[in-house]
Every structure is written in C-alpha cells, then in structure tokens.
Amino acid sequence: MQVELITPDKKAFSGEAFSVILPGMDGYFEILENHAPLVGALKEGKVRIKTTAEELQFGISSGVVEVNHNKVSLLADSLT
C-alpha cells in the first residue's frame, strides 16, 4: 500500500509499506493492505512504518490519518 507522512514543513516519508502502526486516541492500531476506509485522530506517539526492507519510526505530536483504497495519508502537526 502507498503511505505518505506529511508535516507542515516537509514530506517525511512517501513509499510502499505493508504495515503502519499508529498512536490512535484509544491506543495503538495497525493498518494493513486492503484496510477498510478510515479517518481518525492521532495523539502523541510513535508511527512505525514497515517496508519490505526496513522498519522506520517517527515520533509525532498529533495528527490525522486517512485510509482509502490502499493509500494511507498521515498528516502530522510536527515530528518529535
């Protein structure tokens, strides 16, 4: 699935991944390929993006996620 992590300053990540773990308001949750459409709020925590080659981690202060048709768009207020 296509994943983008964007802040007001820059695009922190753009590429293919098979898993994204996010800090939701009620705890961490995972997005996998063919996930149902979703819009959700994110709180401060770690975003983990797993690609076939590596696992990346980004700290965020807060944000929003949208999942639709195997595209995950993460809009973070800032990276920590």
Side-chain angles (χ1 to χ4, degrees):
M1 67 188 157
Q2 181 66 31
V3 179
E4 288 190 332
L5 173 56
I6 301 169
T7 69
D9 299 327
K10 65 179 179 177
K11 187 180 289 188
F13 177 84
S14 180
E16 289 290 318
F18 67 86
S19 170
V20 180
I21 299 173
L22 303 166
M25 299 307 282
D26 293 325
Y28 281 85
F29 65 99
E30 185 173 22
I31 305 292
L32 299 171
E33 196 163 326
N34 297 317
H35 196 283
L38 166 78
V39 174
L42 303 174
K43 65 179 182 178
E44 182 177 2
K46 296 283 184 191
V47 172
R48 292 176 28 204
I49 300 172
K50 296 180 182 181
T51 70
T52 55
E54 61 188 337
E55 180 178 325
L56 304 167
Q57 289 193 30
F58 301 91
I60 64 167
S61 59
S62 64
V64 177
V65 62
E66 178 184 17
V67 180
N68 198 14
H69 299 293
N70 281 327
K71 181 172 182 183
V72 180
S73 299
L74 301 163
L75 307 174
D77 292 332
S78 64
L79 298 178
T80 57

